[in-house]
Amino acid sequence: MVYLPFTSKIPVTRIGITGLSQAGKSTLITAVINHLENIRRGALAKQTTLSGLTHGHWLRDATPAFDYDAGLHALTNSPPSWPNSTTDWSIARIELSIDRPWYSTKPRRRIIELLDYPGEWLLDLCLLEWDYPTFCAQVWSWCSQAPRAAIAADLIQTLAAIDPQAPVDAAYLLELQQRWAAFLADSRLPPYQLSRNLPGRFLLNGAHYHPEHQPFIPLFALNLSSGGGAPKFPAHSWGAVCTQNYLAYRDHEAKPFFSRHFQSLDAQVILIDLLGAMTAGSAALKDMRAALEGVLQPFTYGTDHWLGRLFRRKIRRVAVCATKMDHLLPDDQKRLQSLAESYLYDTVQRLAAESIELKVMAIAAVQAARIQTEANGEQSLIGRDKRTGQAVQFTPPALPQTMPHNLNLKIGDLPQLAPPPGLDRAHPFPGRRIDQLLAFLLAD
Amino acid sequence: MPNSSPPEQLLRTVIHATGDEVPPIDAEQIYQDQTTEAEPEPLLPAAHNPWLTRLITTALLIWLIVIWAQAVVWGWALNTLIGLTLLAAGSGIFGGFLWLGWQARRARHKLDAITAIQAQFLKAKAPHAPQTGVLNLSRRIAQLLQKNPQQAALVQALSSVDESWTYTELAQQLEHSYGAQDRIAAKLIQREAIRTGIFIAASPYPLLDFLLVAWRNVAMVERVALIYHLKLSTPARWHLYQMILRNIAFTTVTETVLDSVSQSWLSNVLLQVGVRAGQGVGVALYSVRIGHQAMRLCRVVPETQPLVDRNIGKMVIEAVRSKTHS
Ligand SMILES: Nc1nc2c(ncn2[C@@H]2O[C@H](COP(=O)(O)OP(=O)(O)OP(=O)(O)O)[C@@H](O)[C@H]2O)c(=O)[nH]1
Ligand SMILES: [Mg+2]
């Protein structure tokens, strides 16, 4: 960045916190604000690259502002709970004061903006490139295989049976759309935990989108009988209505969101819930990897492509973080990072070849478990289960050093932890590697 | 559900207890767990703000310039020629200092660049580290070395690097080209260490001689740097000594044990040869270490095989012992 001396404008660093739903975005943002508020305390103070920062201050003036209060309230409550799942986008603004020598002309203030949004919407990024037949073909390629084929067998059959040329039945279309949304919601939850749930706004509408106004569904018959070329549909047929509404969704809902928020980013943090996917098994792992590859595709486009321009204009740093590492023992925490690297090997390699500073790491926004070491040296974790609220003592499994190539890996019975008691706004939350992540993102 | 893929590898979690049997969680403990994992402290404290030094230097500079300007004006009033001479002399001295400062900075930057390149090699050695950027690195090395005609062979060797090379291959190539210099430097260190050791062992005034030893070691470092075609300036020199001392002081335990000779063998020798010779041996070993660190710091590739033969330590001891006994 170039600063002009003697200008009063405060430089703004925009960081996108990207991740599929439940990856841990909102929790990380809450923890980051908390760490920056307490910048002279805790691990952050030891980071030499950040030694000039003296004071952090959360600004409420962003519109719409990230609800830090709600996050803090949830985490410091007794019993504490995680922040609620996000329903709309918001921006967290933090002002940092920087200690500079008296003769320096560099600005003494700096603003960090963190963008939070529902993870469901991120997947729409893949959809920006697709016309309606491609959309149907892609969704069909996922739905015709296990596990999706088993989750909603009759819905998929019903969709495949519809003749795109036939005149549309508006009420039935609406009903099918609702069933499709319900199917997406099902496949997102355990035990499946699938990631490629399109269109994302069916799951979470946001403030202004009303799916019932312009309903559409993927029509699989289109794809079954297709012979190439854009199909022609008579007016008011299933095909024509769905194509029209799909394009409206793509161009007036999905696209504006990305072009508005992603083009001014200076850095991206990509959060992946690798542990969560591993507890769900290989199908979830595969689906998540495919989803992430689709989402990270634009980074590798050249600047002659509008998506490539959107992503590459300013972004210099990308951190890929496996979250929730506090569910593991210290030795496995290190392995989680190398697992993440081998899991996303293709993508990481491609990103590394671009002129982007890339870092793969494992983090925990809030350390939820305490480590108990027995007299014989065996270690276990003690925390509270998120669902039952009961205390639990467990030894997580030892992770392999690298991801098996076929992703045939499953972690059994790993509890999901609730936040630890005794968190306090005036102290940096106990976390793992948050300081290193910030040092990477905020370095000059 | 039909599933043709092989069964999943299942990693089980062992649940020891739930509910009331679990020991209580207290927040303090969690905070403590975190601090134990925190990064090791930096070796040297972060440079504090040198504003006082800057203030004094600025004041001093302004004062000198004012005096000089007064002198010029005074000279001018006396005679134009005197004024001109004073002006020229002043600018000449000022320019000279600038030039020296610039040279010094450049030498210092070269050392920093070498450290950075070594760090990149080490980083690439970590498991799963991305292997991209070899070409860039080799260009950086070539750029760093090409100003020096004596390093032409090294630069030549680098010209065949392309994108398909790995960091390990590049490191091996560089190791190979450094071979001759390494041998000369190791010889020099051995010779110097033996001389220094004997000097101490045979000297009647060991305390005084330690000063001389320090000077000899400084000279040795200088010569090692010269073997690697590094021209040192005062700041670069300071920085190099600082790094050498730091490396020696903070070597890990295993490194120290592997270094030169084993501890028990050494104490045995000390018993046999007596205190004076023992001192000589200790000093000689220290010289070997200093020379070794200097070598490591002067090369763009990190050390993979020991640069100074582990036996040099023993050879030095043998030599010191036999010379002092005869
Ligand atoms: N143990 C632990 N669990 C975490 C951590 N961060 C997130 N989680 C878990 O992940 C869940 C989701 O976290 P959120 O921060 O809401 O995730 P999100 O990405 O904002 O999710 P959406 O808003 O739904 O897109 C939480 O309910 C926690 O159970 C962490 O640092 N440690
Ligand atoms: Mg959220």
Side-chain angles (χ1 to χ4, degrees):
Chain A
M1 256 175 281
V2 182
Y3 304 116
L4 294 177
F6 310 119
T7 49
S8 58
K9 204 156 159 7
I10 306 180
V12 179
T13 309
R14 292 194 179 80
I15 302 173
I17 310 288
T18 300
L20 302 173
S21 111
Q22 293 296 299
K25 298 182 292 297
S26 308
T27 311
L28 177 69
I29 294 177
T30 312
V32 162
I33 300 177
N34 168 264
H35 276 256
L36 290 177
E37 274 189 335
N38 296 293
I39 199 156
R40 285 284 117 233
R41 261 172 253 170
L44 212 51
K46 296 202 192 95
Q47 287 287 343
T48 39
T49 43
L50 300 182
S51 59
L53 302 180
T54 53
H55 183 69
H57 177 54
W58 173 55
L59 303 174
R60 290 163 191 267
D61 62 355
T63 42
F66 176 76
D67 205 347
Y68 179 49
D69 284 325
L72 269 183
H73 183 76
L75 286 172
T76 56
N77 211 357
S78 66
S81 59
W82 297 107
N84 283 334
S85 186
T86 312
T87 52
D88 211 335
W89 65 274
S90 61
I91 289 179
R93 276 161 69 86
I94 305 132
E95 188 180 273
L96 299 177
S97 314
I98 309 168
D99 188 21
R100 299 211 190 268
W102 56 271
Y103 47 83
S104 168
T105 54
K106 286 189 186 160
R108 276 141 222 262
R109 265 145 209 272
R110 182 172 173 193
I111 287 183
I112 312 292
E113 283 191 5
L114 305 166
L115 170 70
D116 186 31
Y117 56 89
E120 287 87 352
W121 295 1
L122 179 64
L123 254 287
D124 284 347
L125 196 54
C126 319
L127 184 145
L128 299 184
E129 288 279 273
W130 297 342
D131 57 6
Y132 183 64
T134 322
F135 168 68
C136 294
Q138 289 286 347
V139 176
W140 172 248
S141 70
W142 310 335
C143 285
S144 55
Q145 286 171 10
R148 283 194 176 81
I151 301 175
D154 45 326
L155 174 63
I156 291 167
Q157 261 166 23
T158 318
L159 290 180
I162 292 175
D163 176 12
Q165 310 284 346
V168 69
D169 173 353
Y172 190 37
L173 173 59
L174 214 56
E175 185 205 321
L176 283 178
Q177 186 198 32
Q178 272 156 13
R179 280 178 65 192
W180 182 256
F183 156 63
L184 294 185
D186 278 349
S187 34
R188 189 166 69 115
L189 292 178
Y192 310 109
Q193 295 206 18
L194 300 178
S195 301
R196 287 181 292 183
N197 304 315
L198 278 181
R201 280 179 196 247
F202 279 20
L203 282 167
L204 240 171
N205 305 150
H208 307 294
Y209 175 60
H210 304 285
E212 61 279 5
H213 290 182
Q214 292 188 309
F216 67 94
I217 45 170
L219 290 174
F220 298 143
L222 196 68
N223 158 70
L224 296 177
S225 63
S226 83
K232 274 260 165 276
F233 303 110
H236 303 296
S237 63
W238 283 92
V241 170
C242 285
T243 307
Q244 189 194 344
N245 289 347
Y246 168 81
L247 290 179
Y249 176 89
R250 187 188 76 178
D251 296 337
H252 301 300
E253 294 298 329
K255 205 179 226 169
F257 174 72
F258 291 111
S259 45
R260 178 160 169 207
H261 294 302
F262 278 46
Q263 69 172 344
S264 53
L265 293 182
D266 300 292
Q268 273 271 21
V269 179
I270 296 160
L271 300 182
I272 50 178
D273 181 14
L274 192 56
L275 272 181
M278 275 158 74
T279 45
S282 65
L285 276 172
K286 278 178 196 150
D287 210 60
M288 185 167 94
R289 176 153 79 183
L292 284 169
E293 275 169 2
V295 166
L296 295 180
Q297 194 71 34
F299 277 107
T300 57
Y301 294 154
T303 40
D304 47 341
H305 193 288
W306 78 269
L307 262 178
R309 268 201 302 281
L310 195 63
F311 271 78
R312 297 288 305 283
R313 221 175 60 162
K314 284 180 77 185
I315 293 185
R316 293 283 168 274
R317 297 200 175 103
V318 176
V320 180
C321 305
T323 50
K324 311 182 193 175
M325 80 192 288
D326 53 324
H327 287 94
L328 298 173
L329 291 175
D331 280 344
D332 291 307
Q333 296 187 345
K334 296 197 190 77
R335 271 180 229 138
L336 185 64
Q337 174 174 337
S338 56
L339 267 188
E341 276 171 14
S342 66
Y343 177 66
L344 285 179
Y345 191 70
D346 262 355
T347 315
V348 166
Q349 287 288 303
R350 260 188 291 149
L351 288 185
E354 311 290 333
S355 59
I356 292 178
E357 272 183 68
L358 179 80
K359 195 165 173 127
V360 181
M361 57 199 298
I363 60 169
V366 176
Q367 165 83 18
R370 122 175 136 72
I371 302 166
Q372 164 106 344
T373 312
E374 307 296 338
N376 60 3
E378 262 181 42
Q379 287 186 317
S380 60
L381 293 176
I382 296 180
R384 225 159 37 83
D385 192 291
K386 168 173 142 183
R387 272 162 298 198
T388 63
Q390 285 208 319
V392 56
Q393 178 177 17
F394 64 101
T395 304
L399 297 183
Q401 197 55 252
T402 56
M403 198 54 104
H405 191 63
N406 54 11
L407 300 184
N408 265 343
L409 196 71
K410 186 178 160 86
I411 296 182
D413 310 325
L414 192 69
Q416 281 192 34
L417 296 176
L423 293 182
D424 178 10
R425 182 179 181 176
H427 291 279
F429 294 161
R432 287 268 192 274
R433 312 260 168 84
I434 301 297
D435 49 332
Q436 290 176 35
L437 177 66
L438 282 174
F440 172 68
L441 292 172
L442 301 186
D444 279 329
Chain B
M1 193 169 74
N3 201 345
S4 58
S5 56
E8 287 170 337
Q9 180 189 348
L10 186 64
L11 307 169
R12 280 204 184 282
T13 310
V14 184
I15 307 233
H16 301 293
T18 54
D20 298 336
E21 296 150 48
V22 179
I25 322 164
D26 56 33
E28 287 301 309
Q29 179 83 44
I30 289 179
Y31 276 106
Q32 269 170 24
D33 285 348
Q34 185 201 19
T35 40
T36 50
E37 199 231 18
E39 293 273 284
E41 287 196 8
L43 289 179
L44 296 177
H48 60 93
N49 196 348
W51 64 271
L52 193 65
T53 5
R54 275 171 202 250
L55 199 70
I56 293 174
T57 4
T58 321
L60 213 68
L61 260 181
I62 292 175
W63 182 67
L64 275 177
I65 290 175
V66 167
I67 288 195
W68 173 54
Q70 276 178 345
V72 171
V73 170
W74 169 79
W76 208 281
L78 225 59
N79 185 335
T80 324
L81 215 64
I82 297 179
L84 270 180
T85 328
L86 277 173
L87 188 70
S91 338
I93 291 173
F94 188 65
F97 270 116
L98 268 186
W99 188 76
L100 280 180
W102 184 71
Q103 284 276 324
R105 252 182 91 93
R106 247 192 32 178
R108 166 74 206 260
H109 277 187
K110 202 162 169 180
L111 272 185
D112 287 347
I114 290 180
T115 319
I117 291 171
Q118 284 197 2
Q120 197 169 346
F121 270 117
L122 287 180
K123 218 168 98 193
K125 245 166 93 180
H128 310 295
Q131 291 292 321
T132 48
V134 178
L135 194 57
N136 270 343
L137 182 66
S138 89
R139 289 211 188 105
R140 238 173 92 198
I141 298 173
Q143 211 179 14
L144 187 71
L145 301 179
Q146 98 205 123
K147 295 195 192 95
N148 206 323
Q150 286 128 318
Q151 302 274 53
L154 245 171
V155 176
Q156 182 70 35
L158 286 178
S159 63
S160 59
V161 177
D162 62 45
E163 221 21 285
S164 69
W165 283 49
T166 63
Y167 280 98
T168 332
E169 283 172 324
L170 182 60
Q172 276 166 358
Q173 177 74 42
L174 287 169
E175 283 281 354
H176 183 72
S177 338
Y178 268 126
Q181 288 163 330
D182 288 347
R183 274 190 298 279
I184 300 176
K187 266 238 171 63
L188 172 86
I189 291 170
Q190 182 190 353
R191 208 173 51 224
E192 279 300 307
I194 292 177
R195 276 191 203 155
T196 315
I198 293 171
F199 191 71
I200 285 292
S203 156
Y205 311 110
L207 251 182
L208 239 181
D209 294 337
F210 274 112
L211 277 179
L212 265 170
V213 167
W215 178 77
R216 285 188 76 115
N217 279 336
V218 167
M220 176 176 74
V221 169
E222 208 89 338
R223 281 165 70 184
V224 169
L226 217 67
I227 290 176
Y228 289 102
H229 308 298
L230 271 184
K231 262 194 239 125
L232 295 179
S233 61
T234 312
R237 212 164 271 144
W238 273 117
H239 188 59
L240 187 65
Y241 298 150
Q242 204 182 22
M243 286 198 293
I244 289 174
L245 288 182
R246 199 194 313 174
N247 281 4
I248 292 178
F250 295 98
T251 40
T252 56
V253 178
T254 46
E255 235 178 296
T256 333
V257 171
L258 285 178
D259 210 12
S260 312
V261 282
S262 75
Q263 218 64 46
S264 61
W265 193 82
L266 184 62
S267 51
N268 235 341
V269 170
L270 289 185
L271 272 183
Q272 287 170 20
V273 298
V275 182
R276 295 306 335 277
Q279 268 173 357
V281 170
V283 168
L285 283 182
Y286 220 79
S287 300
V288 172
R289 274 198 201 156
I290 290 178
H292 180 197
Q293 294 298 347
M295 266 176 97
R296 286 178 56 175
L297 292 170
C298 289
R299 303 160 17 116
V300 288
V301 264
E303 174 184 35
T304 40
Q305 291 143 1
L307 286 175
V308 176
D309 194 346
R310 300 235 182 273
N311 287 329
I312 284 195
K314 280 194 183 186
M315 276 154 46
V316 169
I317 291 170
E318 288 296 336
V320 172
R321 199 159 60 152
S322 64
K323 291 264 165 70
T324 47
H325 268 247
S326 56

